[in-house]
């Protein structure tokens, strides 16, 4: 999942999808990269379990996968808790 979020373009797509579903062309519009590159980025996000896609005719639409970022949130929360515990021990 972290690999999927490592790229700024992919994070931008996730930001856009947090507003609601979007087609590949809608996701590509604000980016300065070719459409095939956008499709590859979306494949990385889908493989990472962050987005889901559905195809209707010739249009593929992406949306955020339910609970996709909860694993990241949990991991960060655990690290914060451990850091706070360590800081408390060091203050003793």
């Amino acid at each position: 999942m972290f690999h999927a979020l490592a790229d700024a373009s992919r994070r931008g797509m996730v930001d856009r999808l947090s507003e609601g579903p979007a087609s590949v062309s809608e996701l590509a519009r604000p980016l300065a990269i070719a459409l095939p590159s956008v499709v590859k980025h979306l494949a990385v996000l889908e493989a990472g379990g962050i987005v889901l896609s559905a195809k209707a005719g010739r249009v593929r639409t992406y949306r955020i996968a339910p609970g996709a970022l909860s694993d990241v949130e949990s991991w960060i929360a655990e690290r914060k808790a451990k850091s706070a515990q360590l800081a408390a021990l060091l203050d003793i």
Side-chain angles (χ1 to χ4, degrees):
M1 179 169 290
F2 287 106
H3 167 71
L5 295 172
D7 184 84
S9 295
R10 290 193 289 266
R11 288 192 307 272
M13 291 179 204
V14 171
D15 286 342
R16 166 54 189 87
L17 290 171
S18 67
E19 299 170 7
S23 68
V24 174
S25 59
E26 289 172 327
L27 293 168
R29 196 170 296 128
L31 302 173
I33 57 177
L35 197 58
S37 295
V38 171
V39 171
K40 287 182 182 180
H41 282 299
L42 288 165
V44 171
L45 290 170
E46 194 163 20
I50 298 171
V51 301
L52 300 173
S53 69
K55 189 170 184 180
R58 295 177 56 188
V59 178
R60 182 167 295 278
T61 302
Y62 285 83
R63 63 185 173 89
I64 297 284
L69 300 178
S70 61
D71 289 340
V72 174
E73 291 171 346
S74 296
W75 187 86
I76 291 170
E78 289 170 12
R79 297 305 148 311
K80 282 184 174 181
K82 287 180 181 181
S83 293
Q85 289 172 345
L86 181 59
L89 288 173
L90 294 175
D91 284 344
I92 293 177

